[in-house]
Structure formats: C-alpha cells, structure tokens
Amino acid sequence: MTEHHRPLFGSRIGAILAAVGSAVGLGNIWKFPYEAGQNGGSAFLLVYLACVLFLGVPVMLAEFFMGRHTRQGAVGAYRRLGIGSPWGYAGYLGVLGAFLILGYYSVVAGWTAEYLCQSASELMCGTQEFKSPERFAAEFDAFITSPVRPILWTVLVLGLSFAAISFGVKHGIELSAKIMMPMLFFLMIILCVRAMTLPGAAEGLRFFLLPDFSKFGSRTVLSAMGQAFFSLSIGMGCMVTYASYFERSTNMQATACSVAAIDTLVAFMAGLVIFPAVFSFGIAPEHGPTLVFVTLPNVFQQMPLGAVWSTAFFLLLVIAAITSLISLYEVATAYLTDEFHWGRLPAAAAVGGGILFFAVFCSLSCGVLNDFKILGLTIFDALDSLTNRVLMPLGGVLVCLFVGWRIDRRILKAELTNKGSVPFHFFRCYAFFLRYVAPIAITLILLDQLNLFR
Ligand code: TRP
C-alpha cells in the first residue's frame, strides 16, 4: 500500500492514546499486581522498571521504526525490509502470537464484563447480600467453569472490538482510544485516592514499595521481563502495526517514552489501589490470577459504598481490556488487508470468527474441557505460557537482531530522527543495545523460561 492510501492516525495525541490503549490493559491491572504480589512486592517493581527502560523502550522503538518505515503490518514489514532472506517469515510469528493471545485475552476480558454487569446491577438495585470469602471463590469458579455464560460475554467484547476495527484507523481505533483512555485515567485516580485513604492502607503501601529481597530470585527477573513485554504490547508486531499508521512527523522517540511511562504509571497506580485495599481488610495479597475476581470483590463488599467502587473498578478493567483487544485484533486484520487486499470489514469479520473459535475452546478449558491437557496444561494455560514464555521473548529477540544487524544504520537513524529534525543523542548507544545487549539478555531469559538452566 502506498503512503497516500495508508490510513493514518489523525493527530499526535491520537497516536499516543491509541498506543497507550494497546499497552494499558489487563496486563497492568490484572496481571501486574498479582505478579508483584507473588514476587516480593517492590523488589519486583524495581526489576520491572529496569526491564521497561532497558529492554522495553528500545524494542518498542525498533518496532516503531519497522512499521512507519515500511507502512506495513508485521508480516509486510519484515518481508519488505528483509527481501531475499528468510527474515520475511519472522512477521508470521507476530500474527500467530497475536491470534493466540487473543484466544485467552478475550475470555478474560469477557469475565471482566460479567463482573462489571454484576456490580452495576448491585449498584442499581441497592441491595448487597453479605458473602463469605469462600462464597466469592465458589461463585467465580462456578462462573468460569460454566459452558455458556463466559462465552456469551466473550462474544460481546469481541463484538465491540469488531465494531471499533471496522470503523477504521481514525474513526474506530483512534476515536475509541480518545474516548476511553481519559475515562480510564479518571477512574484510576478516583480509585487511588479511595484506596490510599482507607484505614490501614500504609501496610499495603509498605508491602508494595519496600523491597523484600528474600523473595528475590531468578523467577523475579523472568517474570518482570515477561510482564514488561506483555504490558508494553511488544514482541508480537502490535506496535509495528500501529506505527504503520503514524504520521511522518510523529516524534517516535517521544512517543515510545510516553507510552512506556504512562503504561508503567498505570500499572503502578493499579498497585496503589489494590495493595492498600487488600491489606486494609487483612486479606493476603498472594492470590495469583484470582486476585481481582475473588479477593477484590470481597474487599469491596466491606467498604462503605462498595458497589460504587466495584462498578468503577470493573469499568476501568473493561475499558483497559477492550482497547488492548482492539490492538491485537488489528494485527491480524492488517495482515489480511495488507497482504491480500481484503476490505476492512470482511477482514475484521474473518479474524473475529477465527478468534472466537480459539476463545470458545479456551473458555471451555476452564470447565468441561479441563481434563484435556497439552503438555500437562489446560488450553487456557497452554496459550498463556506459549505466548508469554516463548513467542513474545522470541519475537523481541528477532526484532532486535533484525533491526540491529540487518538495517543500515543511516536508514534507522533517519527514520528515528525524522530525517534529522529530532535529535537522537544516544543513537550509538541505542544501536549497540539493539545489537548486543537486548538480544543476549532476552535470550538468556528465554532459555531460562524453557527450563534449560535447571
Ligand atoms: N499490553 C496489553 C496489556 O497489558 C496486552 C497486549 C495488547 C499485548 N497488545 C499486545 C501483549 C501485543 C503482547 C503483544 O494487557
């Protein structure tokens, strides 16, 4: 597709908000707090910050380069820049990865919609029966194992994403981010203030902010890096695709830094909401994936005006999930529109159908299909592990090696500085990082993930 026919984001702020919409998702609000909770609170936070700064930002910038320079999605960008070499295939990894992530991401997004609906109806009816902690766990379990209800919610969130995608880059993706992201920040700030003013909040802040190095180990580093990649939406061609819609005048260095900073801020704020709230009611924070669905509802019910807070929280979660879902959805849609010149609507419909197929199995694997195991994991866990532990780091290494070694430095520099109009003071340092430091660091972590060091 030529420059003139490529749809573009309409404004600088729109481009940043769309990328932030992709980055800020369930990863920040659902995964980050429980990963931090399980890996020693602020020790995890420190390592996480280092991973974002030294691995996340450089990889994101490399993805931005690929997308805007070629004006293509993941597959087209690798193919065009790696002409005549097997590099062309690396882009398929991104499309495949995005598709597999969507399989379970859309299911969890559906769960958040169910919880929003429950909280909102409690708020509206004004009745709230008191439930024991076990009851919350049992209800969550009953919900995710049921064969129909979670799938209906998944269909709903996918339908909303489909709508946004089919309205196009500017009127769908950008506009939805422009509406939803400010709402998200607003809700986040209110929830932060509420949580930090609860009696006993300091205990939670201490847990989150004072490092506990006794829990520090190689797992901490691994989880932090995996989390940084997931949270910044890198390694799967998502930022390549979004950058292909950037204006030539977009300052990509500033955009990458802003996206990483805002994403990290939102994850940090999610910690500031969750830990004070959890500690304030004397509940243990190490609950893993059920933290927001089981532990938090129990916390909300003990707060005055609990239904208000839980509705706000789940609305926040739904918004975060949908804007990220849209970005993953766009990776696969752009593949069909770029490579096969399909129209946006049929492409989006075909991708939606494909995702739904995976998502149904994924959802059923929490219940009826629970005994069906791939390498000892349910379909849901297998998709999560495969994408997080293997495909995302692998995608990250490939981007670094490709841009670091294969691309002419002058071309890279011209693109990242908008032909010299934006200074890039640390360019040499950056190029060195892309060539050596980042690929080696990510490979070590990848090998460790595959248990090769144990
Ligand atoms: N970053 C999102 C989150 O934090 C998830 C996500 C969106 C993603 N697009 C991605 C993860 C691409 C990896 C690759 O929830």
Side-chain angles (χ1 to χ4, degrees):
M1 202 175 284
T2 62
E3 178 98 25
H4 299 300
H5 296 119
R6 189 84 183 163
L8 298 179
F9 290 127
S11 61
R12 184 181 138 76
I13 188 78
I16 294 183
L17 286 179
V20 167
S22 167
V24 172
L26 294 172
N28 302 58
I29 306 165
W30 168 63
K31 263 191 169 171
F32 178 82
Y34 83 68
E35 291 268 6
Q38 288 177 328
N39 290 296
S42 77
F44 179 85
L45 183 63
L46 287 177
V47 184
Y48 179 79
L49 289 178
C51 289
V52 168
L53 199 62
F54 296 113
L55 299 175
V57 175
V59 175
M60 189 186 291
L61 205 50
E63 291 203 9
F64 280 177
F65 160 78
M66 291 180 64
R68 194 178 67 178
H69 189 70
T70 59
R71 292 270 176 240
Q72 297 280 316
V75 171
Y78 268 111
R79 233 214 335 265
R80 194 170 283 193
L81 291 168
I83 252 168
S85 73
W87 274 111
Y89 295 105
Y92 290 101
L93 187 78
V95 176
L96 175 75
F99 214 80
L100 298 179
I101 296 178
L102 275 165
Y104 73 90
Y105 203 89
S106 57
V107 172
V108 182
W111 299 350
T112 64
E114 155 85 17
Y115 273 72
L116 170 62
C117 174
Q118 277 183 15
S119 312
S121 60
E122 263 169 25
L123 180 64
M124 248 117 55
C125 305
T127 51
Q128 210 184 1
E129 61 169 316
F130 195 83
K131 297 177 189 166
S132 64
E134 295 74 31
R135 174 94 183 272
F136 280 110
E139 284 184 358
F140 176 64
D141 208 50
F143 166 64
I144 65 167
T145 52
S146 82
V148 182
R149 214 174 149 86
I151 295 181
L152 292 180
W153 284 112
T154 304
V155 171
L156 179 87
V157 291
L158 277 176
L160 291 174
S161 313
F162 168 78
I165 294 281
S166 50
F167 277 112
V169 171
K170 195 164 162 185
H171 301 294
I173 301 177
E174 181 176 347
L175 186 64
S176 58
K178 273 183 167 165
I179 298 172
M180 289 199 271
M181 285 298 110
M183 276 168 71
L184 180 136
F185 296 127
F186 176 72
L187 289 170
M188 196 55 145
I189 291 170
I190 294 190
L191 284 165
C192 250
V193 172
R194 168 69 278 201
M196 302 225 288
T197 49
L198 284 170
E203 187 70 22
L205 289 181
R206 213 167 294 134
F207 171 79
F208 186 45
L209 300 176
L210 290 183
D212 173 4
F213 285 104
S214 65
K215 293 213 183 110
F216 188 88
S218 74
R219 276 239 62 85
T220 313
V221 182
L222 297 184
S223 321
M225 193 203 66
Q227 174 60 22
F229 270 56
F230 185 84
S231 191
L232 294 173
S233 304
I234 51 182
M236 299 287 62
C238 199
M239 290 299 174
V240 176
T241 310
Y242 270 23
S244 73
Y245 308 131
F246 283 175
E247 294 274 3
R248 285 278 165 219
S249 58
T250 301
N251 179 341
M252 296 202 290
Q253 298 171 47
T255 306
C257 293
S258 320
V259 173
I262 298 174
D263 184 66
T264 307
L265 182 69
V266 174
F268 184 72
M269 287 172 86
L272 292 184
V273 171
I274 288 173
F275 293 115
V278 167
F279 274 85
S280 169
F281 293 96
I283 299 168
E286 289 107 349
H287 269 283
T290 55
L291 180 67
V292 302
F293 296 107
V294 175
T295 313
L296 277 187
N298 182 18
V299 168
F300 287 132
Q301 93 167 344
Q302 301 179 46
M303 281 185 191
L305 297 178
V308 174
W309 304 115
S310 83
T311 306
F313 179 80
F314 284 106
L315 180 61
L316 170 83
L317 213 51
V318 168
I319 292 176
I322 287 186
T323 47
S324 298
L325 205 56
I326 291 174
S327 72
L328 284 159
Y329 200 137
E330 179 64 15
V331 174
T333 310
Y335 169 62
L336 295 179
T337 55
D338 286 354
E339 300 297 308
F340 303 103
H341 305 292
W342 285 29
R344 193 161 252 284
L345 209 59
V351 172
I355 303 167
L356 195 57
F357 176 81
F358 270 100
V360 165
F361 283 102
C362 203
S363 179
L364 293 178
S365 80
C366 298
V368 218
L369 292 182
N370 201 266
D371 292 330
F372 178 80
K373 300 271 162 72
I374 305 168
L375 298 176
L377 298 171
T378 62
I379 303 177
F380 188 102
D381 293 336
L383 286 183
D384 183 14
S385 290
L386 175 69
T387 51
N388 253 323
R389 289 167 172 245
V390 186
L391 297 183
M392 242 164 1
L394 190 61
V397 173
L398 291 178
V399 172
C400 295
L401 293 177
F402 183 67
V403 177
W405 291 91
R406 167 108 197 169
I407 304 295
D408 186 326
R409 288 226 184 153
R410 279 162 303 185
I411 297 181
L412 179 62
K413 189 165 184 188
E415 190 68 51
L416 295 179
T417 57
N418 295 352
K419 298 213 173 78
S421 56
V422 185
F424 193 159
H425 300 297
F426 306 108
F427 182 75
R428 283 166 146 258
C429 188
Y430 174 67
F432 180 78
F433 236 85
L434 268 191
R435 277 196 163 190
Y436 303 100
V437 183
I440 294 174
I442 304 171
T443 307
L444 287 179
I445 295 170
L446 179 67
L447 295 179
D448 197 306
Q449 297 267 28
L450 298 174
N451 284 337
L452 296 188
F453 292 156
R454 275 161 228 188

